[in-house]
Amino acid sequence: MTLDRRGLLALLAASPAWSAVDCIDAPGQPYLPPCQPWPKGVEGQRRADMGDGRYLNPVLAGDRPDPSVLKDGDDYYLTHSSFEAVPGLLIWHSRDLVNWRPLANALSEAVGSVWAPDLCRHGDRYFIYLPVKRTNGAPNDIFVIWADRIEGPWSRPAALGLHKHIDPTHVADEDDQRWLFLSGGDRVRLSADGLGLTGPVEHVYDPWRYPDDWDVESFSPEGPKMLCHGGWWHMLLAVGGTAGPPTGHMVIAARSRTLAGPWEQAPHNPLMRTRSPRERWWSRGHGSLVPGPDGGWWMLYHGYENSFHTLGRQMLLAPARFSADGWFHVDADDGQPLPKPRGGEAVRHGLALSDDFAGTALKAHWQFLSGVAQTPRARVADGRLRLAATGNGPADSPPLGFNQGDPAYELTFDLDFDEGVQAGVLLFYSPRLYAGMGANARSFQLHRYGQDIRAVPKPEGMARRMQLRLRCVRHVLTLYSRVDAGQPWAKFPVQMDVSGYHHNTAGGFASLRPAIYAAGRGEARVSNLRYRALD
């Protein structure tokens, strides 16, 4: 019997001895996700809920790092790092921890690069504490915003004056005294309203250290998450660096009878870690414990998909449990479907990335990707996105893009622009690293490695109105154009491999996102934008 690649994978999947690490072409070759079909949601985007009582990670595909989850009655809310994308801090809602729908962005202005936030509720008010790496020369700080309703409106950010710490987590003790726990095992006392500090930073915990012969990025104790259970305060931390070697990031734990300590290290540290580059999920860490709908325990955390750093750190879910000695344990994800949390109900998962630009407001998934306040540049009118041009190209004309989580996808839209404009479509990582093509009145412009490489003459009859298509299939980027829907697509003469466009080569903690840009003087207009995931 002769088996092709698909037949071989099917045979392996049917074998009782099959496991995630068997999805390898040959020793030393990369993992081949997926080993089984992902369920498809909106526009073919992958979703976790398999419809049969099981789920398959990621529960939120795409760049959703440092998840902070809040259980509020029967509802769950979460947000995650947004870094330099504006607006940021998209809030999601769930009732079963597997299916999530977006509600609103909590942060509408540019404050810098927004790192691991903490979403919490105290009394009748919601708070987000957010560390910010400033990009304008101002000192780094931790800010706080608040709202009376989770959907907002949210307040403007107020600085707390914490210039040497990141990753805050809010907790109230038995006397309702409010604290922020911080990176490095430190804490600071908060005012009663949670909007200011009332004491100095205190060091209360020396984090557990891993063996020296492990392959990690750096020690970097950060992301403390707090939980009171069974008469103990439990603290989870992330150590090992958030990228670097696939085995670096991890979750550790400690417990204490009081928030002041002393803290006892978990005897089974680390609770979670990628142990081999053959695993499906790399750099697994930054976990938050939360009770499920039926009272069982679960951990939300993040990880890079093997061979897909470009998608960023995706949000994952793992079952957890408390043992008789009072310590909790987390089950590893071996890349196979897992039983869903019991109870709860499924909300409609995800959001449509296609856009007909109805109404007058941008949908919540659109973001400017450079950390600069650019909202006035984009307006929606008459079924079109109108994007004011600025700068000379993608490096200094912040593009408008969105987060997606599919290894293969396609984006198509109609474009027209003014005489003095160059506009186009990109896969954008940062102003230093992007790929795609733009068009002006005379030619196409190739963008590669974050550079404007060369001009290509446009076909006859194509002036300033056209259709563009971007297709990315497992990191192979192909670009197309045509005059209108009655014409065949013309393939751009250069295809690109964008597999290296990610944090480990360029820094920045971002992901590679489809985006539209407009440079020069005038306006570009986009309509009939269609996104679809590809098998």
Side-chain angles (χ1 to χ4, degrees):
M1 178 175 64
T2 302
L3 288 177
D4 61 11
R5 172 189 168 102
R6 180 172 302 202
L8 179 60
L9 288 178
L11 182 62
L12 288 171
S15 169
W18 177 79
S19 67
V21 296
D22 292 317
C23 283
I24 306 290
D25 275 340
Q29 294 301 305
Y31 184 93
L32 298 170
C35 286
Q36 58 280 313
W38 279 298
K40 300 299 183 183
V42 179
E43 300 170 332
Q45 299 170 52
R46 59 176 168 166
R47 59 179 296 187
D49 195 334
M50 302 189 74
D52 60 0
R54 300 180 301 162
Y55 74 95
L56 178 66
N57 276 318
V59 290
L60 268 182
D63 196 23
R64 317 290 181 187
D66 310 313
S68 174
V69 61
L70 166 66
K71 188 177 191 302
D72 191 17
D74 293 332
D75 297 293
Y76 297 91
Y77 303 109
L78 72 80
T79 191
H80 45 77
S81 295
S82 51
F83 299 107
E84 297 185 15
V86 181
L89 295 179
L90 183 59
I91 295 175
W92 297 78
H93 169 244
S94 177
R95 296 179 72 90
D96 66 357
L97 292 174
V98 171
N99 295 281
W100 295 87
R101 66 184 181 98
L103 294 181
N105 288 291
L107 186 65
S108 59
E109 60 186 275
V111 293
S113 185
V114 178
W115 293 15
D118 182 57
L119 172 64
C120 60
R121 179 174 177 175
H122 189 78
D124 295 329
R125 181 169 283 181
Y126 298 93
F127 296 83
I128 300 178
Y129 294 90
L130 53 142
V132 174
K133 184 177 181 181
R134 306 302 286 272
T135 55
N136 59 0
N140 299 338
D141 211 331
I142 293 177
F143 290 74
V144 58
I145 58 178
W146 60 268
D148 292 323
R149 299 173 63 250
I150 192 70
E151 300 88 350
W154 286 82
S155 72
R156 295 199 64 197
L160 295 177
L162 292 166
H163 305 307
K164 299 180 179 179
H165 292 82
I166 58 172
D167 297 9
T169 289
H170 172 276
V171 64
D173 64 19
E174 297 85 350
D175 300 320
D176 206 35
Q177 171 59 57
R178 302 174 69 173
W179 300 87
L180 279 187
F181 274 69
L182 307 164
S183 55
D186 295 346
R187 70 172 185 172
V188 65
R189 190 189 301 262
L190 286 173
S191 58
D193 62 6
L195 303 180
L197 308 181
T198 61
V201 173
E202 307 169 8
H203 184 71
V204 294
Y205 170 61
D206 292 320
W208 178 85
R209 294 196 71 105
Y210 45 79
D212 288 340
D213 60 350
W214 286 11
D215 292 329
V216 299
E217 183 180 39
S218 61
F219 182 44
S220 303
E222 58 195 13
K225 299 297 180 185
M226 312 299 295
L227 173 73
C228 189
H229 179 76
W232 293 93
W233 283 101
H234 294 264
M235 184 194 307
L236 289 74
L237 282 94
V239 298
T242 57
T247 55
H249 205 28
M250 63 194 83
V251 178
I252 65 170
R255 70 182 184 184
S256 172
R257 293 295 186 183
T258 72
L259 287 176
W263 292 88
E264 174 189 357
Q265 311 284 13
H268 52 297
N269 274 333
L271 278 67
M272 175 178 290
R273 175 181 177 236
T274 301
R275 300 181 182 276
S276 164
R278 290 167 62 93
E279 295 179 30
R280 178 180 169 193
W281 295 105
W282 288 2
S283 302
R284 295 187 295 154
H286 205 100
S288 295
L289 273 181
V290 64
D294 71 344
W297 289 94
W298 297 83
M299 177 181 282
L300 283 167
Y301 62 107
H302 67 211
Y304 284 109
E305 194 164 2
N306 189 329
S307 305
F308 280 92
H309 276 84
T310 50
L311 293 179
R313 288 165 292 169
Q314 304 183 61
M315 196 178 83
L316 314 172
L317 179 69
R321 64 192 184 282
F322 280 88
S323 55
D325 59 5
W327 288 106
F328 68 89
H329 303 259
V330 182
D331 294 339
D333 182 338
D334 62 359
Q336 298 304 295
L338 296 167
K340 284 179 55 179
R342 295 181 179 177
E345 58 183 288
V347 300
R348 175 169 175 164
H349 178 80
L351 73 167
L353 299 177
S354 295
D355 202 337
D356 58 6
F357 300 107
T360 59
L362 274 176
K363 293 182 172 60
H365 63 283
W366 286 105
Q367 297 173 302
F368 281 101
L369 302 181
S370 69
V372 180
Q374 297 281 326
T375 306
R377 287 184 55 214
R379 60 190 182 93
V380 175
D382 304 321
R384 293 191 290 182
L385 164 67
R386 297 174 177 267
L387 184 61
T390 185
N392 298 307
D396 60 0
S397 175
L400 187 66
F402 54 80
N403 197 340
Q404 70 80 34
D406 295 301
Y409 58 95
E410 182 178 86
L411 182 70
T412 304
F413 59 90
D414 296 342
L415 173 70
D416 71 276
F417 47 84
D418 296 338
E419 174 67 30
V421 171
Q422 177 172 290
V425 63
L426 303 166
L427 288 181
F428 188 86
Y429 183 80
S430 75
R432 297 186 297 114
L433 188 60
Y434 50 86
M437 72 174 179
N440 55 42
R442 294 161 297 282
S443 62
F444 286 112
Q445 177 71 58
L446 171 64
H447 303 296
R448 194 176 191 181
Y449 316 124
Q451 303 172 31
D452 302 337
I453 301 295
R454 62 187 174 90
V456 176
K458 286 162 60 175
E460 270 189 50
M462 183 180 288
R464 301 195 310 271
R465 184 185 301 272
M466 64 200 70
Q467 292 184 324
L468 298 182
R469 170 172 287 173
L470 177 152
R471 177 177 288 179
C472 186
V473 178
R474 302 183 67 86
H475 296 133
V476 176
L477 172 61
T478 310
L479 302 157
Y480 303 85
S481 65
R482 65 183 180 184
V483 176
D484 56 47
Q487 302 293 321
W489 287 101
K491 182 178 176 181
F492 195 75
V494 177
Q495 288 181 274
M496 291 169 266
D497 179 349
V498 295
S499 57
Y501 289 43
H502 58 75
H503 174 80
N504 271 356
T505 55
F509 298 105
S511 63
L512 190 61
R513 305 188 185 193
I516 296 164
Y517 82 96
R521 300 184 63 180
E523 181 184 81
R525 291 163 290 275
V526 173
S527 58
N528 300 318
L529 187 142
R530 293 291 175 261
Y531 174 96
R532 67 184 183 107
L534 304 174
D535 291 329

